[in-house]
Amino acid sequence: LSGDFGELSADLDWHEANFMEKGTYVNLGLQMAASILQSSPTDGRRRAVYIITDGQLQDQSYLEDAKAKLDTVGAEVFGIVVRRFTSHTKVDTDAEEALKPVTSAPHSAHFVN
């Protein structure tokens, strides 16, 4: 994100106008991140990918391949589940269980809820 208010506002407007369906899909984004990282220079910087979700991942069955590609390019994958309430719900627990296998090891250092 650029941090430019006008750009962020326009992006939010676009996403609201082009809403396709409810659910959290991350596979294509992870594939794209792996592709971008693969073609970026390796100059000693750490490579990190952050997945932020508020619900169950709808494309969980495709994530093993995406995780393997991210591992190949040396990316550390962090997972964050944003809870709607102060206590855990089944939606939160399901999201955590789906996201943890995609995060880098050790999961305790790469996962927040």
Side-chain angles (χ1 to χ4, degrees), residues 65 70 82:
D65 182 50
L70 288 165
V82 180

Side-chain angles (χ1 to χ4, degrees), residues 36-80:
I36 291 168
L37 291 172
Q38 183 175 22
S39 62
S40 64
T42 55
D43 57 1
R45 286 185 259 180
R46 294 172 64 182
R47 296 173 168 193
V49 174
Y50 292 86
I51 305 168
I52 303 171
T53 183
D54 64 350
Q56 177 68 35
L57 304 178
Q58 305 300 320
D59 55 356
Q60 184 177 358
S61 61
Y62 300 101
L63 298 183
E64 191 173 315
D65 182 50
K67 172 68 170 119
K69 288 180 180 177
L70 288 165
D71 287 344
T72 299
V73 298
E76 282 188 80
V77 181
F78 295 84
I80 302 165

Side-chain angles (χ1 to χ4, degrees), residues 5-6 21 44 67 80 87 100-101 112:
F5 180 77
E21 61 184 273
K67 172 68 170 119
I80 302 165
S87 60
K100 278 184 183 177
V112 178

